[in-house]
Structures are given as structure tokens and as C-alpha cells.
Amino acid sequence: MDFSARASSIGALADETRRALYEHVVGQLDAVTREAAATAVGVPAHIARFHLDKLVEAELLETEFRRLSGRTGPGAGRPSKLYRRASGTVSVSLPERRYDLVGHVLAGAIERAGGGMPLRQALAEVAHEEGRSIAASAPHVLGDDDESARLTEVLTTQGYEPHSEAGERGEAIILTNCPFDSLARDHTELICSANLSLVSGVVEGLGCTRLRAHGEPHIGRCCVAIRPQA
């Protein structure tokens, strides 16, 4: 989901009844019927159905159909509609943080280092590969001749908040948000080097031959900037 969809999903829990139903469903070991959920929170079944289905629309809950009696065949009755927590994760942060992304990169680097590769080298390689993977997942921008435009579009989806800035050698892309903020502040050298490798991977993966990622530590924004090749 994009940011607007994620924000809308979280906003669905602002209603007190809807939030109570959500908390009941996710607190159970198994999927529950709307009747059971309605009884648990003290609302009529038709009210529970309305709110539960809204939570499904918001991708916070999922449904399944199952005969609760355990019987099958003629006379077993219709399957019941059951609600359970959605398998995906919905999170919203302002400004956007991507600790899941950096965690994935670090885990991959540790695994590779376990095979004998120096950790720093493993981290650089895994981060670069992840950047190329991010670029490959955005094929709709590969045909754009404007390198800055397509790179800006992809980096926006990763929470970097890129902005154009005029420079001596042409237009540069400044990343005004660090998606790995708290980790970068506590482990600056490690995270910033991985970040540079990741963004470089995105640049390369998008085929941006006229641009290059540079490490440029700066208080209050990302440590990487993209500038025209010398």
C-alpha cells in the first residue's frame, strides 16, 4: 500500500466500536464469527458485520469461510464467515522510516559474513543488490529518458523525500529524509555506508549513467546526494 492507503487503514481504527472489534479479533487464537465478536464488545450483529467488513476493506482483517461444526456433505450447513488479523503489516510514520528495509539488508549481510566474507564487504554487496532489486521492482519508470525524474520517483517510494537542487555541474538530487534515522544516528558509519551502497544500487539498476550517488553527511537530512557525473 502507498502512504495514503496506509494512513487510511490506520484511520479506520479511530471509531471506538471498530477499534474494539479489531482488538477482540486479533486477540483470539483462531478466526471468529461476527456474532462472537458482536457479543464480546456488546453490539448488535449487524453493527459488528458493518465494522468488521470495513476493517477488511482497510486490509486490517482478513476473512475465511469454514464449517464450525466440523461436518461435511449434505446437511452440514453453510460455512461461516470468519474474521482474523490480516497477514500483512500496516505502519505509518512521519517522516517515513524504513527500518524493515535496513533490517533486511543487515540480516543478509550477517548471513553472508557467516560464510567467511568480511562483514563490511558483505554489507556493501547486499545493500547494493537490494538497491538494484528496488529499481527492478519499478519497471514502469525504466523507459523514462529523464534520469533525475525516474530516480526521484523510485526514491520517493522508499521514503527519501528527494528534491532537486541546482548545482555547478547541473541538477542534483538532495535526499531530505533519512529512512534509517535513529540507526544512522547511533551507528553512523555502518548505516551510512550501507545507505550509500543501496542508493548506488538504485542508480545503477535504473540505468542512470549520467548520475552518481555521493556520501555527503549533513545534519537534518540523508547522508547521500545524487549528482551529475563529473
Side-chain angles (χ1 to χ4, degrees):
M1 290 189 285
D2 61 20
F3 183 83
S4 295
R6 286 182 282 131
S8 295
S9 292
I10 297 299
L13 296 174
D15 182 273
E16 184 176 346
T17 300
R18 197 170 298 172
R19 184 171 64 254
L21 286 164
Y22 175 79
E23 291 174 348
H24 172 73
V25 171
V26 302
Q28 308 311 303
L29 296 177
D30 197 6
V32 301
T33 64
R34 64 172 178 264
E35 291 80 11
T39 299
V41 303
V43 298
H46 71 280
I47 296 295
R49 178 177 61 185
F50 171 78
H51 287 295
L52 289 168
D53 287 343
K54 286 297 183 182
L55 290 168
V56 172
E57 290 178 13
E59 299 186 30
L60 295 173
L61 296 180
E62 294 175 347
T63 60
E64 63 179 84
F65 291 86
R66 189 198 319 157
R67 288 189 175 92
L68 299 180
S69 65
R71 294 183 296 165
T72 59
R78 296 176 61 184
S80 298
K81 185 177 183 179
L82 306 174
Y83 298 83
R84 55 182 168 78
R85 185 203 300 268
S87 56
T89 300
V90 179
S91 62
V92 177
S93 61
L94 294 172
E96 187 166 4
R97 303 301 182 216
R98 291 298 314 278
Y99 298 120
D100 59 327
L101 175 59
V102 72
H104 176 72
V105 169
L106 291 172
I110 291 170
E111 288 181 346
R112 194 166 298 187
M117 180 181 291
L119 180 58
R120 295 282 179 165
Q121 180 184 347
L123 182 59
E125 288 189 3
V126 172
H128 190 268
E129 291 168 8
E130 185 66 25
R132 289 185 60 88
S133 178
I134 290 170
S137 69
H140 60 288
V141 302
L142 293 180
D144 193 333
D145 290 334
D146 188 335
E147 292 188 358
S148 294
R150 67 176 186 260
L151 185 56
T152 294
E153 182 176 345
V154 172
L155 292 177
T156 296
T157 67
Q158 301 303 311
Y160 284 99
E161 298 182 6
H163 288 273
S164 298
E165 181 181 272
E168 293 181 0
R169 297 196 304 270
E171 185 179 88
I173 301 174
I174 304 302
L175 308 180
T176 61
N177 180 53
C178 174
F180 320 125
D181 180 63
S182 65
L183 281 175
R185 282 188 277 110
D186 293 340
H187 309 282
T188 304
E189 183 181 355
L190 181 72
I191 300 303
C192 288
S193 64
N195 191 25
L196 177 58
S197 294
L198 188 147
V199 175
S200 295
V202 175
V203 173
E204 181 179 306
L206 289 175
C208 298
T209 59
R210 298 187 294 275
L211 298 173
R212 182 180 178 185
H214 296 265
E216 298 182 8
H218 193 289
I219 295 175
R221 71 186 191 204
C222 178
C223 60
V224 177
I226 297 94
R227 300 188 182 279
Q229 290 270 25

